[in-house]
Amino acid sequence: MRITIQSIVGQLVADDYRTAPVFKRHGIDFCCNGNRSIAEACERKSVESEALIRELEEATQTADTQGIDYKSWPLDLLAEYIEKKHHRYVDTRIQEISPFLDKLVRVHGDRHPELEEIRQIFKESAGELTVHMKKEEFMLFPYIKKMVKEGVPVRSPFGTVQDPIRAMMHDHDGEGERFRRIAELTHEYTAPADACNTYRVTYAMLKEFEDDLHLHIHLENNILFPGAIVLEESLASAQASQG
């Protein structure tokens, strides 16, 4: 894989997920803002582009511990995987993290007032993600699966698939902003010196939640959604040529 300053961040990660930790290390968003070139991303983060490219090339030459080529998966299988793995993870972790944050605010809120804002942002994220995932599970994902299964254009309640995809990507941008703020408030999930075990565990869970969300959004924004658009257009084109 040849990497240049014009290479698109999200596409690089879609082609080889070993590049993801490199971007994350430099604070470069590969999921919500993955449609930028390396040159644009480096300029915004004041990162030296040639040095970054060398790191990316080194990462792609290491052993692939991920072992998963998501781009090779059929779209219906990928949609099912996202729902069963990432959507269920979000549902479960929301139920676990929320009471932990409540306890931190109650016990440590006087000394660490930022905890209240963290709790409020996570609460907003939990509500928005819950609604967002149901829209995908009951509208968008079934439509994608049906296109794959039937192999012909199928009727939808939303016109072209690009309409709900735009809405879903807008939601993803909002989640990216929320977790950037949480990372800032927590000093990149570093517990303060006076933190108890619950404090440290909560920060660790929040970091894990953000990491999972990055992969979750990447799979949708950079692989599933573009694939669905291409599939819909190809099915429509094939039908038109036959008619």
Side-chain angles (χ1 to χ4, degrees), residues 19-243:
T19 60
V22 178
F23 288 122
K24 188 168 181 60
R25 191 158 58 242
H26 290 283
I28 295 174
D29 184 356
F30 61 82
C31 51
C32 298
N33 293 307
N35 60 343
R36 294 176 295 170
S37 69
I38 284 180
E40 293 171 315
C42 285
E43 182 178 3
R44 175 168 294 190
K45 287 293 182 177
S46 298
V47 174
E48 208 282 308
S49 59
E50 293 304 319
L52 178 68
I53 289 173
R54 285 195 296 272
E55 288 186 53
L56 292 168
E57 289 173 339
E58 289 173 5
T60 60
Q61 292 165 8
T62 60
D64 187 358
T65 56
Q66 184 78 9
I68 303 175
D69 179 14
Y70 295 106
K71 282 192 72 178
S72 69
W73 290 17
L75 295 180
D76 54 346
L77 175 61
L78 182 56
E80 187 73 14
Y81 174 81
I82 290 170
E83 180 177 342
K84 292 294 188 290
K85 184 177 190 300
H86 294 289
H87 286 196
R88 296 302 155 261
Y89 172 89
V90 169
D91 285 337
T92 300
R93 281 294 187 262
I94 284 173
Q95 299 306 314
E96 294 172 349
I97 293 173
S98 295
F100 274 53
L101 286 172
D102 290 342
K103 182 177 180 180
L104 290 190
V105 171
R106 186 171 64 251
V107 176
H108 300 279
D110 289 344
R111 295 191 307 280
H112 298 282
E114 71 277 3
L115 288 170
E116 177 57 42
E117 185 176 353
I118 293 168
R119 177 173 67 170
Q120 185 57 38
I121 294 171
F122 186 79
K123 181 179 179 181
E124 292 170 2
S125 179
E128 292 295 330
L129 278 170
T130 299
V131 174
H132 171 93
M133 292 187 303
K134 292 306 177 187
K135 290 177 182 177
E136 291 181 336
E137 292 171 15
F138 290 108
M139 285 199 320
L140 181 55
F141 287 5
Y143 177 72
I144 293 172
K145 293 174 186 178
K146 192 172 183 181
M147 282 198 296
V148 174
K149 180 180 179 180
E150 298 191 7
V152 295
V154 296
R155 297 188 63 180
S156 78
F158 43 68
T160 174
V161 74
Q162 295 188 48
D163 293 333
I165 283 176
R166 274 192 294 269
M168 296 301 101
M169 292 182 71
H170 177 75
D171 290 350
H172 290 168
D173 289 344
E175 294 311 315
E177 288 295 330
R178 286 190 180 94
F179 273 88
R180 276 189 285 276
R181 180 57 179 160
I182 288 176
E184 178 184 348
L185 288 166
T186 60
H187 303 286
E188 299 298 330
Y189 306 103
T190 303
D194 63 341
C196 62
N197 283 338
T198 299
Y199 211 131
R200 294 188 180 92
V201 167
T202 304
Y203 272 27
M205 292 175 72
L206 283 169
K207 183 180 187 305
E208 181 191 80
F209 191 95
E210 182 189 36
D211 288 344
D212 183 84
L213 194 61
H214 283 169
L215 176 55
H216 177 177
I217 292 174
H218 160 68
L219 292 178
E220 293 184 355
N221 278 14
N222 298 326
I223 302 179
L224 181 64
F225 293 168
I229 291 170
V230 170
L231 176 60
E232 185 184 62
E233 290 175 346
S234 66
L235 292 177
S237 177
Q239 185 181 62
S241 64
Q242 293 171 3

Side-chain angles (χ1 to χ4, degrees), residues 3-18:
I3 304 173
T4 72
I5 59 172
Q6 298 306 319
S7 298
I8 302 302
V9 171
Q11 189 59 53
L12 284 174
V13 179
D15 290 339
D16 193 328
Y17 197 71
R18 288 173 294 181

